[in-house]
Every structure is written in structure tokens, then in C-alpha cells.
Amino acid sequence: MREIVFIIEPDAGRVTIESSQADARIAKEINKDLGTGSVVNCARPKLEHGKSPIESVGEKSETESPDESIYLYRIYHRSTVDGPGRRSVVQVAGCSIRCAGCYVPETHERTNGKLTSISDIVEEVDKKSGEHDGVSILGGEPFDQPESLQILIEKLKAKNYHLVIYSGYTLESLLARESESVKRILAKTDLLIDGAFMRELAGRAGEYRGSSNQRLILHPISRRKK
Ligand code: SF4
């Protein structure tokens, strides 16, 4: 079944519509009824008017511990395709998986991002707290920086944000690392979307996913303990 999601914000007087699955006739009807809006994003969000992807977030200061930083590609807000509701999205830089047909190859090299203060990232997310329903972390590959990711996740969870993580690794392969950082990250993750992107399975992949092999796993650690 084709789905269109309407997110209504009475306080802000705003309607956000996720209509990527809508056929052209219905999209035209929506435009007619609600007026032509502005495109917030798509599966490959556009950059804001000539801004650097991470212009709003400072680089790591010299005095800060290197453990308190992460290679960041960019942050964007009000995404409706990267998890439930409206998401603030932290897109990290660096991916060692390199799936064929990856639609964000520009994030593969860490050097395409910047080593960025985790506190500054959390501050940026906080600034938009009235405009999102949670935070999604994707890449690149978040679990290529597990210690930094752990700090980021713990800081965000301390503020009670709903957290989604995308990983090209499966849950099983993450658990097989037997890493304390990975376990702590997964214990605080509300939704893990796992598995490498597979170009041949990209058609009708399902909600929030790039290809249909990827799974939506709620509370990945607690689920496995049952
Ligand atoms: S894991 Fe994600 S970022 Fe990395 S190559 Fe695959 S689709 Fe691209």
C-alpha cells in the first residue's frame, strides 16, 4: 500500500508531508489544496543555501579531549525519511563498508567531514528540540567510530531523545565484536536499522530503508534478552 504521512504542528502553523510514494495525480491534489510548499528534504537531503554542511557546528577545540569528538559530515533537521516523525539527523563521516551503489559516497572518507565537538553537536540538536521528534544517526558508518558514538548516544539519551541508528553492519555482526562501547550504544538505541545497502533490493525497500534486506529492530539489546 502506498503511504503519505502528514505531520501537523498547530503551534508552528506548519504541515510537513512525506509524499515520496504518492503518485503524481495525488501530489497535484495536495498542492492544489494546501498550496505549493517548500521541499524540506528527500532521501538525499539538500544543503541549505550555500551553507557548509557543518557550518553551524564548531570544530573540536584544541583543549578538548579527542575522545569527546566525532568525524561529522553534517547535521540537518526536519527529515521525515530517516525514522519516525520529524528527525534531526547527525550524519557522520567515514565508512569502511563501501556498498556498491551507495547513494552517499561523499561520506565515505573521514577527511570529507570534520572532527567535531560532541557537545557542540548536542547543543545544535537541543536548539531544534521543539522541531523534532528524535535524533537519527547515520553516515557514513556510525559504528566505525564506536567510542565517540557511545559518548554522543549517552549525551543525547540523557536528554531523553528518541534515538535511531543506521548501520551497514547487521546486529549480529555488531554483537560479535563483543565491544563494551557497542553494547552500551545498542542498549540506548530505540530503533536500529541494520544491514548493508543492496542495490538490487532498493525497489520498494520499505519505510525508512534504502534496501529491503535492512531490518527495523526496536530496542536491539533488550529484544535479544527475551
Ligand atoms: S554502509 Fe551506508 S554509507 Fe557505507 S557504503 Fe553502505 S550505504 Fe553507503
Side-chain angles (χ1 to χ4, degrees), residues 95 97-99 102 104 107-108 139-141 168 197:
C95 178
I97 300 178
R98 310 290 169 98
C99 313
C102 169
V104 283
T107 66
H108 289 179
E141 173 48 54
F197 172 71

Side-chain angles (χ1 to χ4, degrees), residues 1-186:
M1 196 206 324
R2 294 194 173 192
E3 185 179 73
I4 303 173
V5 177
F6 290 79
I7 299 168
I8 299 164
E9 300 170 89
D11 294 349
R14 194 162 50 205
V15 179
T16 305
I17 303 170
E18 203 289 276
S19 59
S20 57
Q21 295 181 37
D23 66 38
R25 185 182 55 79
I26 292 178
K28 209 170 156 189
E29 288 297 316
I30 292 172
N31 274 352
K32 206 165 77 186
D33 291 342
L34 297 180
T36 307
S38 57
V39 176
V40 178
N41 55 40
C42 64
R44 190 174 185 180
K46 64 179 184 177
L47 298 177
E48 284 178 41
H49 311 301
K51 267 190 170 182
S52 150
I54 52 175
E55 199 164 273
S56 56
V57 193
E59 282 184 69
K60 180 181 79 64
S61 70
E62 290 303 316
T63 52
E64 196 168 11
S65 157
D67 297 339
E68 297 276 326
S69 55
I70 192 164
Y71 283 93
L72 178 73
Y73 186 73
R74 64 175 148 173
I75 296 179
Y76 53 94
H77 303 283
R78 295 181 61 216
S79 168
T80 56
V81 294
D82 299 309
R86 303 156 305 162
R87 315 296 302 179
S88 278
V89 179
V90 178
Q91 185 171 29
V92 302
C95 178
S96 56
I97 300 178
R98 310 290 169 98
C99 313
C102 169
Y103 61 86
V104 283
E106 63 275 20
T107 66
H108 289 179
E109 298 296 337
R110 282 188 179 182
T111 48
N112 283 348
K114 284 185 182 167
L115 193 57
T116 304
S117 156
I118 290 171
S119 301
D120 286 352
I121 294 172
V122 175
E123 197 179 309
E124 168 71 11
V125 167
D126 277 344
K127 273 193 230 158
K128 301 283 183 179
S129 61
E131 297 180 32
H132 65 73
D133 302 302
V135 183
S136 296
I137 301 169
L138 44 77
E141 173 48 54
F143 283 95
D144 279 357
Q145 304 180 69
E147 290 81 14
S148 300
L149 180 62
Q150 181 194 335
I151 295 167
L152 175 61
I153 287 283
E154 287 178 344
K155 283 184 188 270
L156 291 171
K157 206 52 179 170
K159 291 169 180 280
N160 229 6
Y161 290 128
H162 179 273
L163 299 179
V164 173
I165 303 184
Y166 282 77
S167 176
Y169 297 107
T170 60
L171 174 60
E172 290 75 12
S173 67
L174 289 170
L175 292 173
R177 290 188 193 179
E178 298 192 350
S179 148
E180 198 51 39
S181 286
V182 169
K183 280 187 207 152
R184 284 170 182 254
I185 294 162
L186 293 172

